[in-house]
Amino acid sequence: QKEVEQNSGPLSVPEGAIASLNCTYSDRGSQSFFWYRQYSGKSPELIMSIYSNGDKEDGRFTAQLNKASQYVSLLIRDSQPSDSATYLCAGGGSYIPTFGRGTSLIVHP
Amino acid sequence: EAQVTQNPRYLITVTGKKLTVTCSQNMNHEYMSWYRQDPGLGLRQIYYSMNVEVTDKGDVPEGYKVSRKEKRNFPLILESPSPNQTSLYFCASSLQLHNTGELFFGEGSRLTVL
């Protein structure tokens, strides 16, 4: 059974801080990983994809992948209240991407 | 505007009454998929389709059917809905067959089965 594990949270950070969201996966064959943001009552929206070990930066977001440790993370710098949402980690490599259950992030002013 | 459109967005029905949730995408994507999302269980894939007339089961296919007669459409059919199918349903599509984690989601269909 392929699994992607996330702490459900909530993770609460003050505005302007760095939010760190983590994810582990069980399938060593997974080649690609994704972070989705889902606001309450809305559909998931892709915010980051990462395919190789190391860091990938896009604006305030940095995704980190460590295949040896089977670990994926998402850093959000200068967190804003508008970043408050549930963040879903997903692992791919087949035609059935596996989603984690999501981490709820709350950014308080 | 590139989008995935689902209908209906909200539906309350009764046990055993057949229903269809439609999904249409205007991005010429080959890959389409249906998910259900339940509290504490996350997103679970029901069925997916690689192309016209090519469909396969996901993790939770029981009680559902799909068809892919046209590239843009991928309806989800509940032949005899039951209360345990009360859920939030998402249709999603992807351009790349080999990298189907980059998904575009529809707005969701909230289904209640009484």
Side-chain angles (χ1 to χ4, degrees):
Chain A
Q1 180 80 9
K2 300 175 183 178
E3 292 185 347
V4 174
E5 300 285 345
Q6 295 181 256
N7 187 321
S8 62
L11 173 66
S12 181
V13 301
E15 183 174 357
I18 296 175
S20 177
L21 303 161
N22 304 313
C23 168
T24 59
Y25 61 95
S26 63
D27 180 20
R28 286 194 172 274
S30 294
Q31 298 296 315
S32 49
F33 299 88
F34 311 90
W35 283 100
Y36 286 81
R37 177 177 61 200
Q38 186 176 22
Y39 293 114
S40 180
K42 302 295 186 181
S43 59
E45 173 192 17
L46 180 68
I47 55 173
M48 290 286 285
S49 306
I50 186 165
Y51 306 103
S52 55
N53 276 329
D55 295 359
K56 178 182 177 183
E57 187 173 319
D58 184 0
R60 295 187 296 113
F61 298 98
T62 298
Q64 300 173 317
L65 174 59
N66 184 325
K67 291 188 177 181
S69 300
Q70 297 178 243
Y71 181 89
V72 190
S73 65
L74 178 71
L75 302 178
I76 307 175
R77 291 181 299 281
D78 189 24
S79 295
Q80 301 296 309
S82 59
D83 294 324
S84 298
T86 296
Y87 289 81
L88 306 174
C89 174
S94 69
Y95 301 121
I96 306 181
T98 302
F99 282 84
R101 297 182 183 184
T103 297
S104 174
L105 173 66
I106 299 172
V107 181
H108 54 85
Chain B
E1 179 188 356
Q3 58 186 3
V4 178
T5 304
Q6 298 178 224
N7 280 296
R9 296 285 315 282
Y10 302 91
L11 179 63
I12 300 174
T13 190
V14 295
T15 299
K17 186 176 182 180
K18 180 179 179 179
L19 69 91
T20 299
V21 186
T22 64
C23 174
S24 180
Q25 50 94 5
N26 63 0
M27 295 169 280
N28 202 36
H29 286 174
E30 293 190 351
Y31 179 93
M32 296 185 74
S33 180
W34 277 102
Y35 291 85
R36 61 178 289 175
Q37 188 173 39
D38 302 287
L41 297 178
L43 275 171
R44 294 179 293 168
Q45 190 175 56
I46 303 170
Y47 269 95
Y48 65 96
S49 170
M50 306 287 286
N51 211 327
V52 175
E53 303 292 0
V54 181
T55 64
D56 209 344
K57 296 177 181 179
D59 296 322
V60 288
E62 295 78 18
Y64 304 95
K65 287 176 59 177
V66 293
S67 68
R68 187 94 182 270
K69 295 183 170 57
E70 303 169 282
K71 195 172 186 177
R72 62 183 295 128
N73 296 323
F74 190 44
L76 179 70
I77 303 157
L78 286 73
E79 294 269 0
S80 182
S82 62
N84 64 12
Q85 292 178 298
T86 292
S87 187
L88 177 58
Y89 292 86
F90 289 105
C91 180
S93 70
S94 177
L95 176 63
Q96 300 178 60
L97 289 179
H98 68 277
N99 186 17
T100 50
E102 292 189 1
L103 296 164
F104 288 83
F105 283 85
E107 292 184 309
S109 297
R110 186 168 292 281
L111 171 65
T112 301
V113 183
L114 302 175

